[in-house]
Amino acid sequence: MTYYSQHSKVWVSVDCIIFGFDEGKLKILIGRRQMDPGRGEWSLYGGFVSADEGIDEAASRTLYELTGLRNIFMRQVGAFGSVDRDPGERVISIAYYALINVKDYDDRLRQEHHLEWVDVNAIPLLYSDHKEMVAKARKMMKEKIKHEPVGFRLLPSLFTLTQLQRLYEAVNGEELDKRNFRKRIKDMDFIEKTELIDKTGSKRGAYLYRFNSKAYNEETNFRL
């Protein structure tokens, strides 16, 4: 028996906004579309949802195909379904944003998929409503980073306080007072100072820190 035959069909896709942090700037992965419609236009990376998978599964699969990384931090941004958003067919897209450490990403995969890291403050015109997706994802991340340490997913396992401050400035789009920022960091038990020193920036060097997930989870549970 065929159900819903009286209704028109629509396509469902996922689009991934992948954020990375490199050279002191917040960046996203975009590329030129390799298919019609919109061939050659700048676009996010995405794909259609298969009949045998949920939308979260489709997003995870798409991210893995693109990055080769598993267990990526991923959150749903929302549904985008304007009638005329895709000139090819009636397509509803579920957007997700993800955070990855650029250094963990095999650059050969980036080249294979014809993608580029682009500064979020210098994004070119994007296909369809993809720029709207990026704007909403960035707004969500700015709110998220105020309450949860998601930014550490964009950093290497060992980082300097300067790197951490630059990350927060890049995400929030504003400069932070160095003294106040470091005072706040000292109050966070889950940001752990190591005895290691990074000397790439100066002869004197700077202490390296790391995120202690166990301490964070214990502190969060205590607050609850």
Side-chain angles (χ1 to χ4, degrees):
M1 182 180 293
T2 302
Y3 297 99
Y4 314 128
S5 58
Q6 72 274 28
H7 298 289
S8 59
K9 293 182 179 180
V10 300
W11 297 86
V12 179
S13 67
V14 292
D15 281 298
C16 299
I17 304 112
I18 302 175
F19 290 105
F21 182 67
D22 192 33
E23 299 176 343
K25 296 180 179 179
L26 184 66
K27 300 183 177 183
I28 63 167
L29 269 179
I30 59 174
R32 299 281 189 179
R33 278 175 67 87
Q34 305 296 307
M35 57 184 288
D36 292 320
R39 185 183 296 271
E41 294 182 31
W42 287 106
S43 169
L44 296 172
Y45 188 87
F48 287 99
V49 179
S50 300
D52 60 349
E53 64 181 355
I55 53 174
D56 287 353
E57 291 175 300
S60 295
R61 171 182 55 78
T62 301
L63 285 169
Y64 178 70
E65 291 173 356
L66 176 60
T67 67
L69 302 174
R70 297 194 184 277
N71 301 316
I72 295 176
F73 177 88
M74 177 186 79
R75 291 293 184 272
Q76 188 181 124
V77 176
F80 294 78
S82 297
V83 175
D84 59 350
R85 65 173 302 276
D86 192 309
E89 292 285 352
R90 178 74 171 96
V91 180
I92 295 173
S93 182
I94 315 298
Y96 289 80
Y97 81 87
L99 309 179
I100 69 171
N101 179 357
V102 173
K103 306 303 181 187
D104 290 340
Y105 181 31
D106 188 338
D107 203 53
R108 290 174 298 178
L109 280 173
R110 180 189 64 79
Q111 296 176 27
E112 180 182 320
H113 291 286
H114 309 286
L115 298 171
E116 293 184 23
W117 286 109
V118 176
D119 185 343
V120 293
N121 296 313
I123 300 173
L125 182 65
L126 298 178
Y127 175 75
S128 185
D129 50 10
H130 289 190
K131 200 157 190 175
E132 182 184 345
M133 293 179 182
V134 173
K136 187 173 181 180
R138 190 177 183 191
K139 183 178 180 181
M140 290 175 66
M141 185 170 62
K142 286 172 68 174
E143 289 301 313
K144 194 82 169 173
I145 205 170
K146 291 178 183 177
H147 311 290
E148 296 180 34
V150 295
F152 295 102
R153 297 178 181 271
L154 295 165
L155 291 170
S157 57
L158 294 172
F159 51 86
T160 65
L161 290 184
T162 298
Q163 286 177 303
L164 184 60
Q165 181 174 338
R166 294 289 177 266
L167 169 63
Y168 273 77
E169 289 175 336
V171 171
N172 291 303
E174 59 184 14
E175 289 188 15
L176 300 174
D177 180 79
K178 181 178 179 179
R179 183 179 298 178
N180 289 338
F181 180 79
R182 298 201 172 197
K183 184 179 179 181
R184 285 173 53 203
I185 295 301
K186 287 182 179 179
D187 293 334
M188 299 178 182
D189 294 335
F190 51 85
I191 299 178
E192 190 174 81
K193 185 178 180 180
T194 73
E195 296 303 314
L196 302 172
I197 296 178
D198 174 27
K199 293 188 176 182
T200 57
S202 67
K203 290 183 179 179
R204 183 181 179 185
Y207 278 103
L208 289 166
Y209 290 71
R210 62 186 167 212
F211 173 63
N212 188 325
S213 58
K214 183 179 179 182
Y216 174 74
N217 291 331
E218 288 176 353
E219 182 176 321
T220 303
N221 291 333
F222 177 75
R223 287 175 181 174
L224 293 175

